[in-house]
């Protein structure tokens, strides 16, 4: 257990324990695995949605509110006039004890005041579309007590964007029903919606409210809701305005007595022909069936146990015990957990992403799979199919798709020229993990040729040739709207403030080129060639190889600046990321991708590029995106220059790309540097920086402000970032070197001596490998010897054909 001012890791329970409601920013957790999701802060703020945070928002949340994080599922105690929340907010009453335990798929709040303790455990059961709150009220005093317990949440009128904008309509549409202890939210059900939501409790009510003006009051807020302060709900019925759901329970407790209540907030869909049970009365059967599954404390606890068992099972597929508990904590618990969340959410709904702006990103979602494929390969397979279905036959792809419709987002369109090759990474990684070679023959038509039975392999080939067919004057890949760096908009030339950098494109865009895509093409182009060979398509492989070779040559001839790789050529064919530039002389992305692709390992360029990264880009808080920062807006470069120096893509530490350097250093065999870069941004290693960092100490953030920023080392945009998948991939596949391949599991570590001897349990397809890695006293790169079940074997691959049961592997490092 390590501690900071705000909390500590409890590894045995796989929890982070927050010890104050007043963290530097709200520290959140994610609930839900399958359709129904919730974001929940350390004071029980946040919201819930079904599948799509924009189109099916269930509870309302106001972003960027004052004070921050006001709105959520709040429980209140009114103990003879003393009013408080077990989650420590929004009422300002100071508690005698507060803790929030964020765990795997649940959050638990324990609040205590004047001998009353409330434990609220909130989770979304594995298979059901509901949020369960198990609330236990205990009288720890010597005398009996009667207190009032209130629940409260505010409904969103489904479309979150419209809900926050179209008040002239929305203030008239709200509708509810109350029956027994259940409050039903049925706005728009009378028209085109075949779904409603409800909030119920398994106990008789002393009162309820469904109208916000009655429950909160027009000029009150959630820190002093009128009904709670008065000690009585008003049984209000919402017609329009803002429907809410609030229950009042009067709880009598003898000395030492506990009572547990189960609140369920659920979402149901109803067959259109069975919508009504009587005119104007909604069909409540499916809701009642759902409530019945959680109508006792025992049932709720059993569902919670099923959920935690599920997580224990998922996390047991890869476990490590090294000489550094921080590495183990990161890899065994929090990084894997975050990988699941980013896989589910892409970049849609966090405390920094409002859930109304973006769907599933093509590049984001492809990359997110590499941290998740070992956990649930079948889910990755399904995701890849969805992504491939938004690709065009020329290899280009919609940049995003909406999860509810699975259709490419036409407002954003495509032309981000790195997008296609990420599909190769995702597919290769999935096939290596699962052994599902047949997937390459699986038919998924291209978006524009629905009648043609194209296979996944055809998609990879289209990706490959999309790059080949879109080369610029230096035979390097055209960048299109942007490559991985969404903010390097070399064909945008915007001087109009209301224009989107992402979607505006002017001119022919047949000049600006990307060295990042060049490296990406070599890396995943080689992967495509390997796949062609795997399928026996040698002529495809032979035809592809010269394109990859030509790209390597083009990078060396036109992409090398002298001490590092250039970043791009702009629309005038002038270099970006060159020592000749006044600012933005060196960038991380091309150093990462060209070296990961193996370019320059033969002639010293790769080593020189990585040395330049260390010299110019590395700082205490991570590796900055570029240096020097741009000091002025430059329409030729676009959004990157719109940010003040040190923030976001303008010389911030954009964590997603740091693992590229970790991988490259591990390939280079420099174990100390690989580990050092890895640990600079890994939450478990930088708990001491929490005060500066501000975001959750258990997950990665997208961005940490860089050396040029007014405040350095401050993190933003936690949770939904490609950093999670990539840093996990870098640590497990390149530092620990446990790397799936088509024919088996390769063991190629690059381990710094400070990690000591290491034990790993790795489930690989149907096999379980218990792997022991012993220090060899040398470089730590690669292995000197390997035994499987005590028998020495050649090479560093555990052949799956031969070893597909439970096996003991012992390796000694070089
Ligand atoms: C809303 C609309 C307006 C319309 C009126 C009656 O005010 O903005 O265009 O005429 O409703 O439907
Ligand atoms: C954001 C985007 C991602 C992009 C990155 C760098 O994280 O989601 O697609 O690669 O920014 O611009």
């Amino acid at each position: 257990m390590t501690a900071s001012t705000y909390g500590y890791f409890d590894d045995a329970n796989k929890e982070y324990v927050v010890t104050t409601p007043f963290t530097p920013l709200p520290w959140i957790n994610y609930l839900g695995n399958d359709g129904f999701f919730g974001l929940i802060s350390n004071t029980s703020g946040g919201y819930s949605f079904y599948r799509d945070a924009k189109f099916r928002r269930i509870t309302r949340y106001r972003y960027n509110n004052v004070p921050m994080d006001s709105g959520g599922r709040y429980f209140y105690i009114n103990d003879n006039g003393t009013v408080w929340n077990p989650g420590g907010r929004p009422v300002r009453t100071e508690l005698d004890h507060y803790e929030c335990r964020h765990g795997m798929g649940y959050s638990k709040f324990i609040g205590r005041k004047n001998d009353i303790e409330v434990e609220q455990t909130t989770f979304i059961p594995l298979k059901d579309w509901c949020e369960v709150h198990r609330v236990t009220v205990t009288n720890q005093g010597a005398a009996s007590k009667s207190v009032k317990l209130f629940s409260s949440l505010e409904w969103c009128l489904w479309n979150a964007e419209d809900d926050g904008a179209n008040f002239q309509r929305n203030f008239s549409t709200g509708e509810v029903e109350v029956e027994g202890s259940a409050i039903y939210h049925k706005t728009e059900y009378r028209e085109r919606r075949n779904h409603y939501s409800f909030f119920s409790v398994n106990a008789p009510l002393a009162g309820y409210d469904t109208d916000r003006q009655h429950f909160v009051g027009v000029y009150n807020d959630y820190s002093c809701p009128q009904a709670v302060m008065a000690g009585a709900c008003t049984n209000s019925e919402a017609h329009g305005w803002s429907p809410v759901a609030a229950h009042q329970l009067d709880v009598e407790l003898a000395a030492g007595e506990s009572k547990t209540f189960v609140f369920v907030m659920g979402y149901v869909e109803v067959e259109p022909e069975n919508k009504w049970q009587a005119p104007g009365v909604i069909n409540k059967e499916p809701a009642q069936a759902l409530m019945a599954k959680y109508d006792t404390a025992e049932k709720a606890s059993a569902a919670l146990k099923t959920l935690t068992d599920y997580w224990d099972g998922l996390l047991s597929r890869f476990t490590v015990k090294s000489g550094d508990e921080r590495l183990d904590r990161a890899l065994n618990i929090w990084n894997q957990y975050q990988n699941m969340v980013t896989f589910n959410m892409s970049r849609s709904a966090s405390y920094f992403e409002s859930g109304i702006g973006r769907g599933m990103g093509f590049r984001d979602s492809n990359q997110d799979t590499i941290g998740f494929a070992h956990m649930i390969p079948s889910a990755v397979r399904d995701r890849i199919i969805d992504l491939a279905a938004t690709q065009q036959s020329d290899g280009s792809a919609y940049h995003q798709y909406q999860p509810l419709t699975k259709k490419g987002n036409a407002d954003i369109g495509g032309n981000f020229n790195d997008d296609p090759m990420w599909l190769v990474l995702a597919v290769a990684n999935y096939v290596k993990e699962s052994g599902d070679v047949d997937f390459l023959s699986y038919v998924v038509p291209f978006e524009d040729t629905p009648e043609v039975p194209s296979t996944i392999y055809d998609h990879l080939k289209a990706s490959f040739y999309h790059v080949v067919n879109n080369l610029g004057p230096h035979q390097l890949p055209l960048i299109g709207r942007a490559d991985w760096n969404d903010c390097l908009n070399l064909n945008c030339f915007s001087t109009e403030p209301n224009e989107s950098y992402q979607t505006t494109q002017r001119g022919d865009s047949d000049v600006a080129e990307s060295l990042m895509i060049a490296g990406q093409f070599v890396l995943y182009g080689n992967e495509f060639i390997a796949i062609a060979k795997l399928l026996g398509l040698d002529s495809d492989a032979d035809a592809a190889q010269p394109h990859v070779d030509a790209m390597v040559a083009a990078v060396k001839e036109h992409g090398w600046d002298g001490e590092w790789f250039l970043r791009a050529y702009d629309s005038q064919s002038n270099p970006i990321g060159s020592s000749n530039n006044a600012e933005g002389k060196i960038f991380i992305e091309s150093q990462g991708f060209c070296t990961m692709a193996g370019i320059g390992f033969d002639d010293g360029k790769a080593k020189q590029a990585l040395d330049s990264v260390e010299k110019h880009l590395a700082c205490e808080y991570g590796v900055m995106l570029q240096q020097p920062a741009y000091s002025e807006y430059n329409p030729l470069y676009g959004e990157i220059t719109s940010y003040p120096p040190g923030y976001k893509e303008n010389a911030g530490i954009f964590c997603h790309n740091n693992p590229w350097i970790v991988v490259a250093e591990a390939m280079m065999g420099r174990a100390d540097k690989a580990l050092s870069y890895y640990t600079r941004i890994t939450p478990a290693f930088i708990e001491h920086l929490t005060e500066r960092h501000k975001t959750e100490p258990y997950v990665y953030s997208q961005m940490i402000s860089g050396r040029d920023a007014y405040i350095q080392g401050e993190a933003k945009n936690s949770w939904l970032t490609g950093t999670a998948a990539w840093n996990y991939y870098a640590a497990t596949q390149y530092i620990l070197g446990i790397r799936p391949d088509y024919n088996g599991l390769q063991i190629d570590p690059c381990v710094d001596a400070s990690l000591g001897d290491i034990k790993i349990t790795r489930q690989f397809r149907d096999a379980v490998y218990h792997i022991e890695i012993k220090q060899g006293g040398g470089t730590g790169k690669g292995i000197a010897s390997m035994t499987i079940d005590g028998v020495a074997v050649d090479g560093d691959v555990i052949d799956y054909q031969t070893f597909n049961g439970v096996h003991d592997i012992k390796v000694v490092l070089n």
Side-chain angles (χ1 to χ4, degrees), residues 490-698:
L490 304 183
N491 296 302
C492 175
F493 319 118
S494 184
T495 53
E496 160 59 49
N498 292 319
E499 208 162 63
S500 150
Y501 290 109
Q502 310 292 306
T503 57
T504 307
Q505 192 174 324
R506 294 192 169 80
D508 294 332
S509 65
D510 54 3
V511 176
E513 298 164 292
S514 162
L515 265 300
M516 181 264 152
I517 304 179
Q520 186 201 25
F521 175 75
V522 173
L523 179 57
Y524 303 136
N526 279 324
E527 201 68 68
F528 167 69
I529 292 168
I531 287 175
K533 287 181 180 159
L534 186 74
L535 296 180
L537 300 169
D538 290 355
S539 60
D540 275 14
D542 292 346
Q545 190 65 57
H547 295 297
V548 172
D549 296 344
M551 191 67 77
V552 173
V555 170
K556 288 192 172 181
E557 194 181 339
H558 301 294
W560 182 250
D561 190 56
E563 291 178 43
W564 55 79
F565 295 101
L566 295 176
R567 175 63 177 86
Y569 282 97
D570 69 15
S571 56
Q572 325 289 306
S573 252
N574 292 319
I576 298 179
S578 159
S579 54
N580 296 323
N581 294 119
E583 296 175 337
K585 288 172 185 285
I586 173 171
F587 281 69
I588 191 172
E589 302 99 318
S590 45
Q591 315 317 320
F593 261 90
C594 291
T595 53
M596 282 198 294
I599 302 172
F601 272 67
D602 50 352
D603 58 8
K605 288 190 171 67
K607 179 172 176 301
Q608 218 177 344
L610 293 175
D611 288 345
S612 296
V613 167
E614 182 174 29
K615 186 167 163 200
H616 300 289
L617 297 179
C619 74
E620 181 188 351
Y621 306 113
V623 186
M624 293 173 285
L625 193 144
Q626 99 276 19
Q627 278 291 302
Y630 293 111
S631 56
E632 286 171 18
Y633 176 61
N634 179 353
L636 283 185
Y637 294 179
E639 187 171 1
I640 186 170
T641 61
S642 77
Y643 288 112
Y647 295 98
K648 295 277 289 177
E649 280 89 337
N650 188 13
I653 296 152
F654 208 95
C655 300
H656 182 152
N657 52 40
N658 278 221
W660 303 345
I661 304 302
V662 176
V663 171
E665 287 289 3
M667 289 171 62
M668 189 65 69
R670 302 200 291 192
D672 54 336
K673 294 189 198 296
L675 184 65
S676 165
Y677 291 135
Y678 168 74
T679 59
R680 279 179 224 203
I681 62 162
T682 296
F685 287 86
I686 51 177
E687 226 189 331
H688 57 285
L689 293 177
T690 300
E691 192 90 38
R692 177 176 288 272
H693 231 249
K694 292 196 173 72
T695 51
E696 295 90 335
Y698 38 91

Side-chain angles (χ1 to χ4, degrees), residues 652-776:
I653 296 152
F654 208 95
C655 300
H656 182 152
N657 52 40
N658 278 221
W660 303 345
I661 304 302
V662 176
V663 171
E665 287 289 3
M667 289 171 62
M668 189 65 69
R670 302 200 291 192
D672 54 336
K673 294 189 198 296
L675 184 65
S676 165
Y677 291 135
Y678 168 74
T679 59
R680 279 179 224 203
I681 62 162
T682 296
F685 287 86
I686 51 177
E687 226 189 331
H688 57 285
L689 293 177
T690 300
E691 192 90 38
R692 177 176 288 272
H693 231 249
K694 292 196 173 72
T695 51
E696 295 90 335
Y698 38 91
V699 289
Y700 291 100
S701 295
Q702 180 209 55
M703 196 271 293
I704 300 170
S705 54
R707 198 194 281 150
D708 306 277
Y710 181 65
I711 299 170
Q712 301 175 20
E714 185 185 51
K716 287 183 187 136
N717 310 346
S718 55
W719 279 99
L720 303 186
T721 163
T723 317
W726 265 104
N727 228 25
Y728 184 78
Y729 177 85
T732 57
Q733 298 206 21
Y734 286 86
I735 291 180
L736 298 177
I738 309 298
R739 199 177 309 149
D741 208 338
Y742 298 106
N743 54 344
L745 195 68
Q746 189 185 9
I747 315 276
D748 176 27
C750 183
V751 167
D752 187 67
S754 66
L755 294 178
D757 293 340
I758 299 171
K759 284 188 180 163
I760 291 167
T761 298
R762 175 65 153 94
Q763 185 159 347
F764 180 63
R765 304 180 197 168
D766 290 330
V768 178
Y769 300 135
H770 297 290
I771 304 166
E772 275 186 58
I773 300 176
K774 282 224 173 307
Q775 294 287 336

Side-chain angles (χ1 to χ4, degrees), residues 40-61:
I40 188 163
S41 73
N42 60 305
T43 58
S44 199
Y47 62 92
S48 314
F49 61 95
Y50 171 73
R51 227 171 271 285
D52 190 314
K54 177 175 179 177
F55 290 122
R56 217 43 73 79
R57 185 81 60 101
I58 296 173
T59 57
R60 186 177 282 162
Y61 189 73

